[in-house]
Amino acid sequence: KYLFVPYEGRWLADELVNSTTRPDTADRAKNAFDQDWLTVISTPYLTDANAFVALHHRHHKPVTGHRWSAEVVDETGATRGVAIVGRPMARMTDQRRIVEAIRVATDGCDNACSALYGAVCRQQRAHGYQKAVTFILASEPGTSLRAAGWRPVAISAGGTWSRPSRHRENDHPLEPKVRWECACSELPAITLEMSTHLKGDSHGSTR
């Protein structure tokens, strides 16, 4: 399990807190217990991640499959947020080189959403992918994505997934969406209009 501790304005990431960890990192990790700052990234079963999504996601249901999932667990062992990573929803996206964060949901725990997005980026690199992408509603600001180093690269028209040959129920928002890509992306960031910043943070808003 990875330990993430807010320290001097940045995350201490990719460092295992165990007997091989550098002493200074271990000391800061120990201090985090006393300050209620402990956040652990672990890998839950899809059934557990889906159960959290069903309880906390604002406008999407659980998914049927994934590449992997991540969760934020606090010092008491309680799950505070999950990210489900799967193949890209758009069929023309290269599914061999790109993964998509298809669900991200938290219970509102501070920094949980950005910690999850940061974990998704690191995990996709470890799995040998080129980059990770995600989509949020155009009315959401993407604050947690920016904090994790992601950037907006495109805006989709939104609309329904339903087609005459492939009916789908419209049980999700149909407004335009913004495509965000992790720090590994080669695409430049786009400027979002102020109208896309009218609602709250992006906790639990993906897809």
Side-chain angles (χ1 to χ4, degrees):
K1 292 183 177 181
Y2 291 95
L3 181 67
F4 296 79
V5 182
Y7 181 69
E8 294 180 354
R10 64 182 186 276
W11 289 102
L12 299 176
D14 295 326
E15 295 182 1
L16 287 171
V17 178
N18 53 31
S19 59
T20 62
T21 304
R22 296 179 324 198
D24 60 327
T25 302
D27 289 343
R28 293 198 294 273
K30 181 178 181 299
N31 291 336
F33 282 95
D34 301 328
Q35 301 177 44
D36 294 328
W37 281 354
L38 183 65
T39 307
V40 175
I41 298 294
S42 63
T43 52
Y45 290 111
L46 178 60
T47 52
D48 295 331
N50 269 334
F52 192 93
V53 166
L55 184 63
H56 292 286
H57 204 290
R58 289 202 297 259
H59 50 254
H60 279 303
K61 298 179 180 179
V63 301
T64 58
H66 72 163
R67 294 278 196 257
W68 70 86
S69 294
E71 68 178 345
V72 169
V73 182
D74 66 18
E75 70 278 6
T76 69
T79 298
R80 309 301 301 272
V82 300
I84 301 177
V85 182
R87 63 176 178 80
M89 302 293 286
R91 289 180 294 172
M92 297 303 292
T93 302
D94 190 340
Q95 298 186 10
R96 296 173 299 173
R97 296 182 174 86
I98 300 173
V99 291
E100 181 176 334
I102 52 180
R103 295 288 187 276
V104 174
T106 79
D107 62 2
C109 175
D110 289 345
N111 300 319
C113 198
S114 56
L116 286 165
Y117 280 122
V120 168
C121 184
R122 288 185 296 277
Q123 289 168 342
Q124 63 85 22
R125 286 200 305 264
H127 284 288
Y129 289 96
Q130 184 182 70
K131 62 184 176 182
V133 305
T134 195
F135 291 80
I136 67 172
L137 300 178
S139 58
E140 296 171 318
T143 304
S144 296
L145 285 158
R146 291 187 188 277
W150 293 53
R151 55 181 176 269
V153 299
I155 300 177
S156 72
T160 179
W161 287 95
S162 186
R163 297 294 184 269
S165 62
R166 179 173 49 83
H167 178 70
R168 296 289 187 273
E169 295 294 334
N170 294 322
D171 54 0
H172 60 278
L174 303 181
E175 68 179 85
K177 296 178 180 178
V178 180
R179 174 180 172 127
W180 291 71
E181 298 191 352
C182 71
C184 298
S185 174
E186 73 288 353
L187 297 178
I190 62 172
T191 301
L192 299 178
E193 297 294 333
M194 290 302 295
S195 60
T196 66
H197 296 255
L198 299 179
K199 293 187 180 180
D201 200 355
S202 59
H203 295 320
S205 61
T206 292
R207 275 291 184 188

